[in-house]
Amino acid sequence: DAGITQSPRHKVTETGTPVTLRCHQTENHRYMYWYRQDPGHGLRLIHYSYGVKDTDKGEVSDGYSVSRSKTEDFLLTLESATSSQTSVYFCAISDPGQGAAGYTFGSGTRLTVV
Amino acid sequence: EDKVVQSPLSLVVHEGDTVTLNCSYEVTNFRSLLWYKQEKKAPTFLFMLTSSGIEKKSGRLSSILDKKELFSILNITATQTGDSAIYLCAEGDYYGGSQGNLIFGKGTKLSVKP
């Protein structure tokens, strides 16, 4: 989607290895979010960020950490990947401030942990 | 616990049919009801509903919210094969922010056959 890019698009990794997914935006939006989508569960919030170095946990944050050192980048790290973390991960951005911009989702990263 | 429930989970129709997708919600503090369409990639925004009884319409798609009975419906008339997708219902603030997590239902997978 225009203005928001996720990388990689697909990744296969082994159990126990660290994995980092990247979300990059060019919209200068304040808020960034990581969701995971699993069959039977819909999308669930992992972590979100409300500014540089400001992050908070979502509904399913166990086993994940995030970092945001620049406005445009929001990284999701799986310190030691497990098979239960096989999922499609979506990044989203929004800005509720002046000239409010609603949620925009990235195209997703399909992660398989074997 | 806040939750959003969609029904049916899957639906197969033929081109030209009219379909109704259902979404019920139980949340502590209602923000708005959102509908998204998800094809192969990112969810794309369809409607935001905040007021009861006011229909939102876009072409062949329309949606309405009943805040008394805590549900919303999405109608698609004269369906086309291009309407095949997963339709997601979510409760939340479309503009995100500190209360900006979206609570998603599991989605309804619609398949439209020629």
Side-chain angles (χ1 to χ4, degrees):
Chain A
D1 285 44
I4 179 169
T5 306
Q6 292 185 232
S7 60
R9 296 296 307 278
H10 302 272
K11 185 170 181 67
V12 179
T13 192
E14 292 186 349
T15 298
T17 61
V19 177
T20 295
L21 309 183
R22 181 184 185 229
C23 179
H24 177 79
Q25 61 144 330
T26 57
E27 304 296 323
N28 202 35
H29 285 353
R30 180 180 173 195
Y31 284 80
M32 299 185 76
Y33 312 83
W34 277 108
Y35 285 84
R36 60 178 288 175
Q37 185 175 30
D38 305 291
H41 287 280
L43 279 84
R44 294 177 291 173
L45 182 67
I46 306 171
H47 282 278
Y48 69 98
S49 169
Y50 47 97
V52 173
K53 293 193 168 76
D54 292 324
T55 65
D56 207 347
K57 296 179 180 180
E59 177 189 356
V60 290
S61 60
D62 287 349
Y64 301 94
S65 63
V66 290
S67 66
R68 191 167 177 200
S69 58
K70 299 183 289 184
T71 298
E72 57 266 35
D73 289 325
F74 191 32
L75 305 180
L76 177 71
T77 298
L78 290 66
E79 302 290 348
S80 177
T82 67
S83 58
S84 65
Q85 293 175 313
T86 292
S87 187
V88 180
Y89 291 86
F90 285 98
C91 177
I93 60 175
S94 74
D95 198 315
Q98 191 174 11
Y103 258 82
T104 301
F105 287 88
S107 296
T109 293
R110 182 174 295 275
L111 177 67
T112 303
V113 183
V114 298
Chain B
E1 180 185 342
D2 293 349
K3 63 180 179 181
V4 173
V5 179
Q6 292 186 245
S7 64
L9 294 181
S10 66
L11 189 57
V12 180
V13 300
H14 288 93
E15 272 192 315
D17 289 348
T18 293
V19 298
T20 298
L21 310 183
N22 302 295
C23 175
S24 64
Y25 61 92
E26 289 181 32
V27 297
T28 305
N29 294 303
F30 178 77
R31 295 164 292 179
S32 64
L33 197 292
L34 309 173
W35 283 97
Y36 290 85
K37 178 182 182 182
Q38 184 179 27
E39 295 173 269
K40 293 199 181 298
K41 299 182 180 178
T44 54
F45 174 73
L46 294 174
F47 298 113
M48 175 173 66
L49 301 150
T50 55
S51 299
S52 210
I54 298 175
E55 184 182 51
K56 292 285 184 83
K57 197 170 172 64
S58 176
R60 295 176 295 102
L61 278 66
S62 64
S63 184
I64 197 161
L65 174 67
D66 185 328
K67 291 175 75 173
K68 181 179 177 184
E69 301 297 331
L70 308 183
F71 78 91
S72 173
I73 60 172
L74 176 68
N75 279 320
I76 308 175
T77 59
T79 53
Q80 303 171 356
T81 54
D83 295 326
S84 295
I86 296 173
Y87 290 84
L88 298 168
C89 175
E91 186 279 336
D93 186 340
Y94 173 66
Y95 297 103
S98 61
Q99 302 298 321
N101 62 302
L102 301 183
I103 302 168
F104 283 89
K106 295 179 182 180
T108 294
K109 184 177 181 180
L110 175 65
S111 300
V112 181
K113 296 195 176 302

